[in-house]
């Protein structure tokens, strides 16, 4: 393998024109954002159903907490699959190219999500139902494991000079957009079908068939995503690496051989982001709609539809913070921006006991908690699709950024709702915040040892 770079100074990743390899930048923006929007939509409808649907239809035995934990365990299964997906799709992304691999990851995720909408329940086929659900969830994880890093590379490797973090924030917007679509659709369906999550009717329209609608509708969005992505060209950074003969036979072996330090740093840089996000989406939904202490529970006792409205309001602040963080990361640098934001997340972790104190809980206090958490989420999530790719050379960038991102998903997201449910039940909600504080502290340390990548050319990384 040749590791030399051109004697001429490398060109900006995507030049300064309004097109890249003849493709309008607007199409690249849409392609990077629409794919992640679809992927996160698919992921979030599962997360919502894991709290409101699956405990009743796929894990009905035992008490409410046991069924919820079993459902969240299948939710976490996808995070185990995601590093495998990053290796699988990363191999083809670094060997074959970004475009073809992005199409494959989108199809994998979309087919699995559609099939979840067709699954029979435990009452129909017994234990085979949760087994099939787990298998589809695993396939969802494989698809998302290859999706994020491909979309991030599509954005960063075609960016204008000095605007990589701004370009890279577009796929990050897919997270709040997907969340808004998924939860908004669930809200409309539950209101239309008069579903009450606090006293679910197993024979009612929602649990009989209505919950399947968001999963089945994902097919339409997948078709749109495929149409946009098939009209793309390969990124110029990858094309130049191919011209220089830098492709390797086994990217996963190469990345562990040459970039193991970056893998560790990247994983822990993402840890707080993942922990915060899944506490603020999956766990908080189960807590907010759970039974109060007066009814023998530890939750806040909100009506399911009322809580979804609060979450949807908060997600608007998440979306608004993403472009702000992209601008900050380009203006002041990735490292200092994320150090300050991570410090704020650590402080936020200390406020859980105050925000979520059951005495005097009301809509205003819960909404304030959700808005603060989602604002911080947007600020920390926005620069990540620039930061992680910038750590790795082009010939292993798809694999390396994907492994770091998705390994963090196991450490930060797969276990976060499970641990949070346990801590809240046994020690109180304040300890959920302490858990977030610990995760953010580890991220803070990783940022301290991470190099600043703002001014580096993607062609020169690892040269």
């Amino acid at each position: 393998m040749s590791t030399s770079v051109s004697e001429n100074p490398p060109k900006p990743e995507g030049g300064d024109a309004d097109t890249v390899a003849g493709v309008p930048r607007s199409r690249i923006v849409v392609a990077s954002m629409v794919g992640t929007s679809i992927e996160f939509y698919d992921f979030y409808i599962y997360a919502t159903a894991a709290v409101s649907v699956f405990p009743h239809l796929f894990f009905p035995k035992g008490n409410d907490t046991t069924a919820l934990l079993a459902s969240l365990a299948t939710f976490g299964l996808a995070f185990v699959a995601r590093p495998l997906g990053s290796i699988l799709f990363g191999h083809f992304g670094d060997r074959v190219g970004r475009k073809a691999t992005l199409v494959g990851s989108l199809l994998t995720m979309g087919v699995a999500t559609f099939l979840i909408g067709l699954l029979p329940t435990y009452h129909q086929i017994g234990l085979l139902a949760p087994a099939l659900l787990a298998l589809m969830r695993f396939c969802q994880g494989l698809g998302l494991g290859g999706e994020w890093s491909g979309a991030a590379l599509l954005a960063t490797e075609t960016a204008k000079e000095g605007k990589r973090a701004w370009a890279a924030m577009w796929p990050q917007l897919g997270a709040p957009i997907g969340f808004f679509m998924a939860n908004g659709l669930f809200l409309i369906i539950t209101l239309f079908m008069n579903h009450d999550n606090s006293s679910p009717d197993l024979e009612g329209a929602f649990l009989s068939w209505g919950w399947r609608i968001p999963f089945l509708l994902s097919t339409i969005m997948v078709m749109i995503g495929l149409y946009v992505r098939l009209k793309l060209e390969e990124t110029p950074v990858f094309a130049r690496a191919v011209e220089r003969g830098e492709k390797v036979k086994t990217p996963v072996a190469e990345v562990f051989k040459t970039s193991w330090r970056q893998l560790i740093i990247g994983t822990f840089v993402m840890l707080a982001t993942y922990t915060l996000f899944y506490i603020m989406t999956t766990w908080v939904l189960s807590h907010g709609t759970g039974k109060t202490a007066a009814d023998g529970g530890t939750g806040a006792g909100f009506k399911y539809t009322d809580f979804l409205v609060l979450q949807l309001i908060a997600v608007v602040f998440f979306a608004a913070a993403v472009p702000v963080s992209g601008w900050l990361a380009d203006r002041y640098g990735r490292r200092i921006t994320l150090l300050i934001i991570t410090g704020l997340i650590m402080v936020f972790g200390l406020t859980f006991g105050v925000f979520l104190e059951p005495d005097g809980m009301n809509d205003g206090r819960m909404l304030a908690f959700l808005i603060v958490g989602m604002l911080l989420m947007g600020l920390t999530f926005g620069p990540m699709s620039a930061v992680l790719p910038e750590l790795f050379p082009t010939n292993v960038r798809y694999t390396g950024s994907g492994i770091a991102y998705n390994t963090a998903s196991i450490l930060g997201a797969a276990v976060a709702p499970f641990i949070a449910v346990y801590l809240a039940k046994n020690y109180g909600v304040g300890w959920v915040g302490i858990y977030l504080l610990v995760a953010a502290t580890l991220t803070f340390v990783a940022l301290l040892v991470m190099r600043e990548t703002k001014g580096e050319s993607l062609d020169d990384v690892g040269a």
Side-chain angles (χ1 to χ4, degrees):
M1 177 192 70
S2 172
T3 57
S4 63
V5 296
S6 172
E7 294 180 359
N8 297 321
K11 301 175 183 178
E13 275 72 60
D16 293 317
D18 291 331
T19 61
V20 179
V23 178
R25 287 190 184 277
S26 58
R27 185 183 298 169
I28 295 173
V29 167
V30 172
S32 66
M33 186 169 60
V34 72
T36 52
S37 297
I38 294 167
E39 301 283 358
F40 280 106
Y41 166 86
D42 290 355
F43 224 62
Y44 295 150
I45 57 175
Y46 191 102
T48 301
V51 173
S52 63
V53 176
F54 298 149
H56 308 298
L57 300 183
F58 289 86
F59 307 95
K61 292 187 176 181
N63 60 40
D64 292 343
T65 300
T66 301
L68 174 61
L69 290 176
S71 181
L72 290 177
T74 63
F75 172 78
L77 181 62
F79 294 98
V80 178
R82 284 170 65 162
L84 299 178
S86 65
I87 293 172
L88 173 64
F89 289 104
H91 175 84
F92 292 104
D94 286 326
R95 288 285 301 164
V96 178
R98 311 330 192 189
K99 174 185 172 179
T101 307
L102 276 168
V103 171
S105 66
L106 184 62
L107 280 174
T108 302
M109 185 80 172
V111 171
T113 303
F114 177 78
L115 290 177
I116 289 175
L118 299 177
L119 288 180
T121 66
Y122 178 88
H123 299 288
Q124 295 170 317
I125 61 171
L127 291 175
L128 184 58
L132 290 173
L133 180 65
L135 176 61
M136 292 302 101
R137 182 60 175 168
F138 187 85
C139 291
Q140 275 192 320
L142 285 178
L144 190 55
E147 165 61 30
W148 178 86
S149 49
L153 267 58
L154 176 63
T156 56
E157 291 185 347
T158 57
K160 290 184 178 181
E161 186 174 12
K163 298 292 184 180
R164 268 204 310 261
W166 178 260
M169 70 87 185
W170 290 106
Q172 302 300 77
L173 275 176
I177 290 172
F179 184 93
F180 196 88
M181 289 192 301
N183 279 14
L185 186 54
F186 261 109
L187 175 62
I188 292 171
I189 293 172
T190 52
L191 287 173
F192 180 76
M193 296 183 174
N194 295 316
H195 174 70
D196 184 357
N197 198 57
S198 61
S199 56
D201 179 8
L202 295 180
E203 303 299 325
F206 178 76
L207 289 179
S208 294
W209 58 272
W211 68 270
R212 300 179 184 274
I213 295 174
F215 291 92
L216 299 177
L217 285 180
S218 66
T219 304
I220 299 173
M221 293 186 291
V222 169
M223 293 173 64
I224 295 172
L226 287 174
Y227 174 79
V228 175
R229 287 188 169 180
L230 287 171
K231 290 183 172 292
L232 296 176
E233 298 294 335
E234 195 51 77
T235 70
V237 173
F238 180 79
R240 289 197 292 270
V242 172
E243 291 176 0
R244 294 193 297 266
E246 294 180 357
K247 287 199 298 184
V248 293
K249 290 184 178 181
T250 53
V252 65
E254 184 71 15
V255 77
F256 277 102
K257 177 182 177 182
T258 62
S259 304
W260 59 269
R261 185 173 182 271
Q262 292 94 315
L263 284 174
I264 296 173
I265 291 174
T267 297
F268 283 97
V269 163
M270 272 298 302
L271 181 63
T273 302
Y274 260 127
T275 305
L276 173 63
F277 192 40
Y278 283 90
I279 284 177
M280 295 305 302
T281 54
T282 304
W283 170 77
V284 80
L285 178 61
S286 65
H287 173 77
T289 60
K291 296 178 180 178
T292 63
D295 295 322
T298 59
F302 282 86
K303 187 178 178 181
Y304 177 70
T305 52
D306 292 343
F307 195 82
L308 279 184
V309 171
L310 297 181
Q311 277 197 309
L312 290 173
I313 294 172
V315 167
V316 174
F317 290 85
F318 175 14
V322 169
V324 173
S325 65
W327 180 84
L328 289 172
D330 275 335
R331 177 69 175 82
Y332 299 103
R334 286 67 161 131
R335 190 167 171 268
I336 186 62
T337 298
L338 288 172
L339 279 170
I340 293 173
I341 295 166
T342 303
L344 294 174
I345 293 173
M346 294 165 67
V347 174
F348 178 59
L350 296 174
T351 67
F352 275 47
V354 176
F355 273 119
L356 301 179
E357 169 63 40
D359 293 338
M361 174 57 69
N362 54 44
D363 289 0
R365 195 202 297 180
M366 180 59 75
L367 181 60
F369 173 76
L370 293 173
I371 287 175
V372 173
M374 286 297 188
L375 271 173
L376 291 172
M377 181 60 209
L379 291 172
T380 185
F381 189 59
M384 289 300 174
S385 54
V387 171
L388 296 188
E390 289 170 352
L391 294 176
F392 298 94
T394 303
N395 58 1
V396 294
R397 183 169 294 132
Y398 203 125
T399 303
S401 61
I403 290 176
Y405 180 85
N406 291 298
T407 302
S409 76
I410 294 180
L411 301 178
V415 298
F418 194 93
I419 291 176
V421 167
Y422 174 82
L423 290 173
K425 180 176 177 59
N426 292 282
Y427 302 103
V429 291
W431 280 93
V432 179
I434 299 300
Y435 168 52
L436 175 62
L437 171 63
V438 172
T441 301
L442 292 174
T443 290
F444 196 87
V445 173
L447 288 167
L448 287 175
V449 300
M450 185 189 84
R451 73 178 191 274
E452 177 56 63
T453 57
K454 171 189 171 185
E456 295 188 11
S457 167
L458 293 182
D459 289 287
D460 290 342
V461 177

